[in-house]
Structures are given as structure tokens and as C-alpha cells.
Amino acid sequence: NAKSMDSFKTQVSKPEDHQIFVTRENMSAFGESTSRGIITLNCRNSLIKHNLTVPEWASEVATDEITMGM
């Protein structure tokens, strides 16, 4: 379950002298494949675009696209 990993990010410690750097432009974009167990629209469209079979369990499709990094 991806949601169970949310608390993990705050539990990982890093040295005090480490810094985070952010670029002006995104270097990559990541699309969520499911939302609460329902396939996302961007995942379904990506499967079709790449001639991959949409799983039978994915008959219900979320109406939104979930993308990080755009």
C-alpha cells in the first residue's frame, strides 16, 4: 500500500550538512498508475499508447490524471 509509505519519509534521517537543490525545470515527470485501487486516466492512456493490454480489473477508470513533476 503506497499510502503506508507516507510516514516513512519523515522517519529517515539525513546528516545536517546535506542540502536539497531544486532545478528551474523538471527533469522528469511521474504518473500515478492507480488512485485508491482504480486505474488513472493517464495510466490507461499510456498503456493504450504503447500497445499494452489494459488489465481486465481496470474496467473502472478514474476521471482524473495524477502526474507529479509537470
Side-chain angles (χ1 to χ4, degrees):
N1 181 327
K3 191 73 170 166
S4 66
M5 296 182 69
D6 284 350
S7 63
F8 178 71
K9 64 185 175 204
T10 58
Q11 296 172 8
V12 176
S13 62
K14 64 176 183 63
E16 289 293 324
D17 62 342
H18 280 209
Q19 299 178 22
I20 296 175
F21 296 94
V22 179
T23 61
R24 291 187 195 279
E25 296 182 27
N26 291 322
M27 304 306 259
S28 61
F30 299 91
E32 289 285 343
S33 56
T34 61
S35 175
R36 301 187 188 277
I38 299 173
I39 192 169
T40 58
L41 183 59
N42 51 303
C43 180
R44 181 184 177 281
N45 291 345
S46 181
L47 289 170
I48 292 169
K49 176 182 174 182
H50 296 287
N51 296 316
L52 298 170
T53 304
V54 177
E56 288 184 28
W57 61 264
S59 59
E60 183 179 359
V61 177
T63 58
D64 55 345
E65 293 190 11
I66 303 174
T67 307
M68 299 167 282
M70 292 188 141

